[in-house]
Amino acid sequence: MKKMLKGVLAVSMVASLAGCSSKSGKYEGQTLKLYNWGEYIGENVINEFEKRTGAKVSNDFFDSNEQMYVKVSNGEKYDLLVPSDYMIQRLIEEDYLMELDKSKITCMDDLNPEILDLEYDPGNKYSIPYFYGTVGIVYDKTQVDKKDLETEGWDIFLDTKYKGNIYLYNSERDSFMMALKALGYSMNTDNEQELQEAYDWLEKCVTTMDPEIVTDEIIDNMAQARKAFGLMYSGDATYVIAENSDIDYYMPESGTNIWTDAMVIPKNAENPELAYEFINFVAEYDQAYDNSSYVGYTSPVKKVADDLSKGDFDGIDAYIPSLSNDKNEVFRYNENARKIISNLWSKILIVTSNK
């Protein structure tokens, strides 16, 4: 899901803007067990944290929220996790997370208020945002008429003008989001009739449009404009657009997913104090700048995001996608809907393989 932004790295020297600080060597000999997405941290952040605190960081990686959940639910111990919104909701409901001591978190005022106090964690009692973004359509402006996007929205994935020239992302959650939004439904529905209609929409797409179903290879493929368009996360779109000025990013008016990946401390963490230290550290201006400029995903530190949008990512709307559409939604965890969607997506893949 995550892609580092190659060749773009700028570290601010404005140390006075840092909102938090740690005492050098305070945690000498201790280890922070971090469980994060792969390729999802700035080039210098870990080294700088180790220098600052004297601690070591054991950095394990996951490639899906579900993979992370299995380890946590089986009792594996980590000090800090970086799951997505709906998974944070599940971890809260199943009592795996520690409620945060806000007196130990000194950077809340630096964060973008638009991504705080969301329904997956009201009041941010358990989580502090790490990156955020949206899901949209990344497209080659030389192959796609923007009027088609504006007129059709998600239904452009059914426009036979582009048959054989599109990518579908191999993610049941994101694919059903797209179909449900195209149909005017909530992406959080568990109504079986609505989910069946979304299945029919996706089945029509795979049977009539000859899409290539991909995962992260879509990033480099779209950077090379190998097809006209595909579904993509805004941070990955930022990388693609930085690589190829003919590429752009579009969010349909019928709405999309606003997602947040956030830092949480498990109840069985062995070193929660060091976890708090890391949360504060990555929210400092310099570290947040390093993080976001390197990875390409939008920083929750408002000044960092504003500065990057006028600097390295100037003119790339995907870097700070609009959150103002009231049809946009945040994913909620719903086990019943998850099971139905999983079964239906399996059928879509079978239909695709039998073509």
Side-chain angles (χ1 to χ4, degrees):
M1 168 178 172
K2 318 301 177 188
K3 178 79 173 182
M4 73 172 66
L5 191 62
K6 302 171 185 174
V8 180
L9 177 60
V11 180
S12 167
M13 300 303 292
V14 191
S16 61
L17 292 171
C20 317
S21 62
S22 305
K23 296 179 181 178
S24 179
K26 180 179 177 182
Y27 295 94
E28 193 76 38
Q30 298 185 37
T31 299
L32 175 76
K33 290 191 68 177
L34 174 64
Y35 200 22
N36 196 0
W37 299 88
E39 299 183 342
Y40 211 42
I41 195 161
E43 190 174 47
N44 301 309
V45 172
I46 296 295
N47 286 340
E48 289 301 318
F49 181 74
E50 291 180 335
K51 289 178 184 177
R52 175 85 65 87
T53 62
K56 296 295 183 183
V57 177
S58 171
N59 197 7
D60 290 346
F61 305 106
F62 56 87
D63 55 24
S64 73
N65 283 288
E66 288 67 30
Q67 179 187 359
M68 180 275 306
Y69 174 80
V70 168
K71 283 199 172 185
V72 172
S73 62
N74 284 335
E76 190 147 347
K77 293 182 179 180
Y78 292 98
D79 299 311
L80 196 65
L81 312 171
V82 191
S84 301
D85 36 39
Y86 74 94
M87 185 55 69
I88 292 172
Q89 178 191 343
R90 182 178 187 180
L91 292 170
I92 293 169
E93 290 177 358
E94 297 182 13
D95 201 29
Y96 285 114
L97 299 183
M98 183 183 299
E99 187 167 343
L100 298 176
D101 181 350
K102 292 295 181 62
S103 71
K104 297 178 180 178
I105 297 173
T106 55
C107 301
M108 293 299 294
D109 291 343
D110 297 328
L111 303 179
N112 184 345
E114 288 189 284
I115 56 165
L116 297 175
D117 195 30
L118 299 179
E119 57 189 297
Y120 71 91
D121 181 16
N124 290 92
K125 291 182 179 179
Y126 298 89
S127 67
I128 301 297
Y130 183 80
F131 282 131
Y132 75 94
T134 62
V135 178
I137 301 170
V138 67
Y139 67 99
D140 179 1
K141 292 182 286 186
T142 70
Q143 299 187 64
V144 178
D145 187 340
K146 190 173 181 180
K147 289 182 180 178
D148 289 344
L149 287 162
E150 294 170 341
T151 302
E152 301 175 78
W154 295 116
D155 280 327
I156 197 170
F157 280 84
L158 303 181
D159 187 340
T160 54
K161 181 195 304 184
Y162 301 105
K163 181 177 180 179
N165 201 21
I166 69 172
Y167 291 113
L168 277 187
Y169 199 77
N170 191 0
S171 163
E172 60 194 47
R173 182 175 295 274
D174 296 311
S175 295
F176 269 83
M177 178 281 294
M178 175 174 65
L180 288 163
K181 284 298 185 183
L183 294 165
Y185 298 137
S186 168
M187 68 186 196
N188 287 307
T189 185
D190 62 0
N191 180 291
E192 292 192 28
Q193 178 58 40
E194 292 176 354
L195 291 171
Q196 181 61 46
E197 289 180 42
Y199 168 84
D200 294 340
W201 188 97
L202 289 166
E203 183 184 39
K204 182 178 180 181
C205 178
V206 300
T207 55
T208 64
M209 293 293 291
D210 292 335
E212 185 176 344
I213 300 181
V214 293
T215 53
D216 282 351
E217 63 266 31
I218 188 178
I219 301 167
D220 289 332
N221 287 349
M222 281 304 305
Q224 297 175 52
R226 289 177 178 167
K227 290 190 184 294
F229 61 84
L231 189 72
M232 190 174 285
Y233 302 106
S234 56
D236 294 337
T238 298
Y239 165 77
V240 170
I241 295 167
E243 291 288 300
N244 185 341
S245 61
D246 285 333
I247 305 298
D248 210 344
Y249 182 73
Y250 183 76
M251 291 170 20
E253 289 299 314
S254 58
T256 187
N257 170 30
I258 298 173
W259 58 263
T260 307
D261 292 339
M263 297 174 283
V264 298
I265 303 176
K267 278 193 168 181
N268 65 352
E270 295 179 329
N271 204 336
E273 294 305 314
L274 193 53
Y276 281 114
E277 206 70 25
F278 190 84
I279 289 171
N280 289 330
F281 181 78
V282 295
E284 292 182 6
Y285 183 92
D286 289 356
Q287 313 310 327
Y289 198 106
D290 183 352
N291 235 6
S292 191
S293 65
Y294 190 74
V295 177
Y297 278 76
T298 312
S299 176
V301 179
K302 194 172 188 308
K303 180 162 181 56
V304 168
D306 289 345
D307 287 352
L308 279 170
S309 70
K310 299 168 187 172
D312 290 341
F313 304 132
D314 184 32
I316 300 179
D317 291 340
Y319 179 69
I320 304 186
S322 172
L323 306 181
S324 60
N325 187 344
D326 60 10
K327 295 179 182 178
N328 293 339
E329 296 181 81
V330 174
F331 270 123
R332 297 194 300 268
Y333 178 71
N334 181 317
E335 181 63 16
N336 182 52
R338 185 196 68 78
K339 289 179 179 177
I340 296 172
I341 288 172
S342 182
N343 288 335
L344 292 174
W345 183 245
S346 295
K347 292 181 180 180
I348 290 293
L349 295 179
I350 291 171
V351 169
T352 304
S353 66
N354 289 337
K355 282 188 85 271

